[in-house]
Amino acid sequence: LERDPNLVDAPEGRGGLLLWAARSGSLALTELLLEFGAKRDVRDPEGRDPVELAEAGGHSEVAERLRRP
């Protein structure tokens, strides 16, 4: 990410990496992506944002982190 910050928002098939991190419940990856400026306003093909995906998966810590500035 340091070499190519554009990778932060690269699509992975169902949206960007932040969506994947939220869906999978990876707090560490979520924090890293946010640190590198990941866009929070992304949506998956069904229209869900990262907070919605984290909550749907029962990943409350990730959802809380995504709500903070």
Side-chain angles (χ1 to χ4, degrees), residues 2 6 12 15 24 34 36 42 52 65:
E2 288 179 358
N6 293 320
E12 54 85 26
S24 66
L34 292 174
F36 277 90
V42 294
E52 292 170 315
R65 177 59 189 95

Side-chain angles (χ1 to χ4, degrees), residues 28-57:
L29 181 56
T30 297
E31 290 178 338
L32 179 69
L33 293 169
L34 292 174
E35 179 182 324
F36 277 90
K39 296 176 186 171
R40 295 168 184 251
D41 61 349
V42 294
R43 296 198 175 264
D44 73 0
E46 288 80 33
R48 298 171 296 186
D49 67 20
V51 172
E52 292 170 315
L53 291 172
E55 289 175 338

Side-chain angles (χ1 to χ4, degrees), residues 2 6 9 11 19 27-29 31 50 54 64-65 67-68:
E2 288 179 358
N6 293 320
D9 292 312
L19 291 172
L27 182 59
L29 181 56
E31 290 178 338
E64 279 299 314
R65 177 59 189 95
R67 285 189 191 95
R68 291 195 316 255

